[in-house]
């Protein structure tokens, strides 16, 4: 039987870096214990008929926010870190005033949960590795840009912060729809 949200919440309050002693997980004790579960709860509260909600025309829709979280994680971990192909799942609309266009098919809650889980597995694969890997420097160059260098630590911190940022955005959208977001 899977633990309830309340059980997860209580257990996560006792987590610390010691739980991943010597591994990358020590630096991210709350990502899978708190941040991701509350993103999934926000997704559950988002009604399918409100997937296209956005407060202003130039902004991401609620659906695109969730897809963008997975897209960014894939871009950083699969493409930049892993050297795999880059894919754009939420692309700029040709009319910037209209915001964004969804390119990747994730039509319902199950598809969005699946893509979030699949792309997060790339990140989770690093959690059991030695903490010394965090200083690994990754060099990356976009086709139209300069060569940039990042530590793995910076990339993972960036992704965790990115997820928290967009989860908050999704929670604000829920409030604007008149829906109580999950308590964090």
């Amino acid at each position: 039987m899977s633990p309830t949200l309340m059980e997860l919440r209580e257990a996560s309050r006792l987590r610390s870096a010691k739980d991943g002693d010597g591994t990358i997980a020590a630096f991210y004790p709350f990502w899978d214990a708190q941040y991701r579960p509350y993103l999934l709860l926000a997704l559950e509260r988002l009604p399918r008929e409100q997937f296209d909600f956005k407060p202003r025309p130039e902004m991401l829709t609620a659906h695109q926010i969730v897809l963008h979280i997975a897209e960014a994680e894939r871009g950083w971990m699969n493409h930049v870190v892993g050297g795999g192909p880059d894919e754009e799942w939420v692309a700029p609309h040709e009319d910037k005033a209209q915001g964004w266009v969804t390119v990747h098919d994730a039509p319902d809650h199950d598809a969005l949960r699946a893509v979030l889980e699949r792309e997060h597995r790339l990140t989770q694969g690093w959690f059991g590795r030695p903490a010394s890997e965090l200083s690994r420097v990754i060099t990356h160059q976009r086709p139209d840009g300069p060569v940039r260098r990042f530590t793995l630590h910076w990339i993972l911190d960036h992704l965790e912060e990115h997820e928290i940022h967009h989860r908050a955005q999704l929670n604000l959208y829920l409030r604007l729809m008149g829906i109580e977001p999950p308590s964090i």
Side-chain angles (χ1 to χ4, degrees), residues 11-22:
S12 71
R13 290 178 178 159
L14 300 175
R15 294 190 56 80
S16 73
K18 71 173 177 47
D19 297 317
D21 196 28

Side-chain angles (χ1 to χ4, degrees), residues 28 31-32 35-36 39-40 64-89 112-127 142 152 155-164 166:
Y28 304 97
W31 198 336
D32 290 344
Y35 309 145
R36 182 54 59 106
L39 169 63
L40 296 174
Q64 289 168 340
I65 289 170
V66 178
L67 199 52
H68 173 67
I69 291 168
E71 167 194 47
E73 195 161 10
R74 177 180 175 75
W76 280 102
M77 298 309 293
N78 181 58
H79 177 63
V80 176
V81 175
D86 193 17
E87 297 178 26
E88 200 163 33
W89 293 355
L112 287 170
R113 273 190 298 277
V115 76
L116 283 166
E117 180 182 322
R118 184 182 70 234
E119 300 312 328
H120 190 55
R121 270 189 244 124
L122 296 169
T123 303
Q124 290 171 320
W126 285 90
F127 289 169
R142 288 190 172 274
L152 180 62
I155 290 170
L156 290 171
D157 276 3
H158 176 68
L159 284 171
E160 185 180 55
E161 178 186 23
H162 182 263
E163 181 169 320
I164 293 167
H166 284 296

